[in-house]
Amino acid sequence: MNTAIRTHGFSESVIRGMTRLANEHDAINLAQGFPNFATPEVLKEAAVTAIREDVNQYAITWGAQRLRDILSRKYWDWYGMDVDPATEITITCGSTEAMAATLLAIANPGDEVIVFEPFYENYGPDTILCDAMPVYVPIALGQELDTDQLTAAFSARTRAIVVNTPNNPTGKVFTSIELEAIADLCQRYDAYAVTDEIYEHIVYEGRHIPIATLPGMRDRTITISGASKTFSATGWRVGTIIAPPPVTSAIRKVHDFLTVGAPAPLQEGVAAGLEQLGTDYYATLLADYRVRRNVICRGLAAAGFRCNPPAGSYYVLADFSDLSDLPDDQFSVWLTKEKGVAVVPGSSFYSSAPLECKLIRFAFCKTVDVLEEAVARLMTTRSA
Ligand code: GLN
């Protein structure tokens, strides 16, 4: 056997693994974060029309013209960002590819990439794929960023910092003071900020600030987002990258060789959504998530979990120490098999599992009836 199998030293995704377990046991899947409600009609109709009109071949590698044009307008409307669709936008297969393509474009082997902990589980492996080194900086739950600790993590080897706001899994929305501290360090150490802003329109408290809008940051920020969460279309795999022209040019090369392009008809669907859905749409999206957040947080508290409502995103980390002595991974499997509610063990969001991790993550991107059923099942956890 002379075939190389490079596993790069990371294990399979725990989030996707929990989805498989949920399916095996017919459990309510509050593990992997995908909505159970419909993608807006506007997007679906436009995608179907595009398919019927035979927009079925490759889109331009860096993204369909119409989508890049409307995205540029949106970044202006939402954040006052002046984005050139010709040289500063790349459309990818989801923000997952966006993050991987970006890090592959900017990080050299041996570079360091700072990642806040807890983190969305892809960032570490993304860094390792580039033969770069993740450097983890903890942010204690419910706490402000410790700028001394962050400063200590920066060095001449730091190529980039990954900033995920609103945050998965904590729901933290970074404040302008925190972002300014990060921006200051990026400028001092000549590092890039690579953001994951996929939950930008799901903010309950505070407001979403793209770090690219801070003074001195536009030229050193790669702003990543996508259609998955804003348009409840996680399966479409349409991600977006805004970056200054030289960085975009490098990212486009990586993206070209990784995937050639994102699905052409679905890009038309997303373009139609951005064009036709206005402030009402975003207000309703948020209002609906606020209701879901209240249902799950109240339900979890009633069932004996300890949690604080997240400021953004659609996840809540809950402490189960009052309910079980099991470690978080075993408790998650038990909950899936015995109670029919799948969750993600908290330790999968940490580089090395804290010895006594008593956290699990619930994704509440589900209709209220499903959340209520999940809560009803969880109510008997205490007595188990
Ligand atoms: N971002 C979602 C989550 O954290 C989905 C992850 C995935 O599997 N792509 O659950």
Side-chain angles (χ1 to χ4, degrees):
M1 168 90 69
N2 62 2
T3 312
I5 299 177
R6 289 189 71 198
T7 59
H8 295 275
F10 48 80
S11 36
E12 68 162 330
S13 156
V14 177
I15 297 175
R16 268 84 80 188
M18 288 309 295
T19 282
R20 286 195 294 276
L21 193 70
N23 292 344
E24 261 171 50
H25 295 275
D26 208 14
I28 297 175
N29 187 353
L30 303 188
Q32 191 179 19
F34 59 90
N36 72 330
F37 38 88
T39 305
E41 281 307 311
V42 174
L43 280 88
K44 292 193 284 194
E45 281 306 319
V48 168
T49 303
I51 289 172
R52 291 221 169 90
E53 289 179 353
D54 258 320
V55 183
N56 292 316
Q57 311 308 326
Y58 306 121
I60 296 171
T61 285
W62 38 88
Q65 180 80 47
R66 183 163 162 236
L67 179 52
R68 281 181 290 121
D69 287 346
I70 182 68
L71 196 63
S72 148
R73 282 217 289 287
K74 283 292 164 177
Y75 269 90
W76 177 255
D77 294 347
W78 291 335
Y79 308 119
M81 280 169 67
D82 195 0
V83 176
D84 182 351
T87 59
E88 295 189 302
I89 297 182
T90 311
I91 308 299
T92 54
C93 295
S95 62
T96 297
E97 192 222 337
M99 181 60 70
T102 298
L103 292 177
L104 284 165
I106 62 173
N108 288 311
D111 283 349
E112 291 183 355
V113 176
I114 296 175
V115 174
F116 292 117
E117 188 168 50
F119 47 78
Y120 171 53
E121 62 173 12
N122 280 37
Y123 306 147
D126 283 344
T127 308
I128 294 165
L129 284 173
C130 312
D131 285 332
M133 284 285 298
V135 173
Y136 297 104
V137 173
I139 303 183
L141 293 185
Q143 301 298 305
E144 297 283 296
L145 166 66
D146 179 338
T147 43
D148 291 340
Q149 214 167 7
L150 181 61
T151 306
F154 270 84
S155 76
R157 291 183 301 279
T158 308
R159 174 69 63 185
I161 178 167
V162 176
V163 184
N164 172 212
T165 182
N167 187 266
N168 175 6
T170 64
K172 178 182 175 64
V173 174
F174 282 68
T175 63
S176 60
I177 292 169
E178 291 172 315
L179 294 172
E180 276 159 22
I182 298 168
D184 178 56
L185 286 164
C186 286
Q187 290 171 66
R188 222 187 307 157
Y189 286 90
D190 193 21
Y192 291 107
V194 180
T195 72
D196 178 347
E197 304 183 22
I198 193 84
Y199 305 97
E200 63 189 312
H201 296 293
I202 308 176
V203 176
Y204 317 101
E205 282 143 41
R207 79 189 164 93
H208 176 66
I209 306 168
I211 199 170
T213 60
L214 268 52
M217 287 307 288
R218 181 68 170 82
D219 284 344
R220 55 175 70 253
T221 302
I222 296 95
T223 304
I224 293 174
S225 191
S228 295
K229 275 62 186 198
T230 298
F231 295 129
S232 312
T234 59
W236 281 26
R237 315 311 299 133
V238 177
T240 63
I241 308 175
I242 312 293
V247 182
T248 294
S249 151
I251 290 171
R252 285 177 176 181
K253 283 182 203 153
V254 178
H255 163 68
D256 190 5
F257 288 112
L258 278 180
T259 62
V260 178
L266 304 185
Q267 292 191 55
E268 296 303 322
V270 174
L274 286 168
E275 251 163 28
Q276 292 173 45
L277 297 172
T279 36
D280 282 2
Y281 171 75
Y282 297 96
T284 306
L285 178 82
L286 180 59
D288 289 349
Y289 269 116
R290 200 182 285 283
V291 172
R292 295 175 194 124
R293 180 182 73 145
N294 293 343
V295 170
I296 191 79
C297 290
R298 283 199 197 127
L300 289 177
F305 292 88
R306 273 183 271 150
C307 62
N308 290 316
S313 84
Y314 54 51
Y315 304 103
V316 56
L317 276 178
D319 185 314
F320 63 87
S321 4
D322 296 341
L323 298 171
S324 170
D325 291 331
L326 289 174
D328 65 334
D329 51 348
Q330 289 177 31
F331 184 66
S332 300
V333 170
W334 179 84
L335 217 51
T336 308
K337 289 185 178 170
E338 304 301 326
K339 296 289 156 190
V341 180
V343 297
V344 180
S347 52
S348 67
F349 304 101
Y350 289 85
S351 53
S352 50
L355 276 180
E356 284 275 304
C357 186
K358 291 287 185 186
L359 292 171
I360 50 177
R361 190 197 75 173
F362 290 85
F364 57 86
C365 42
K366 304 291 177 200
T367 43
V368 166
D369 57 323
V370 171
L371 295 175
E372 280 172 347
E373 171 59 25
V375 166
R377 294 180 185 191
L378 293 170
M379 289 308 272
T380 56
T381 309
R382 194 196 292 275
S383 56

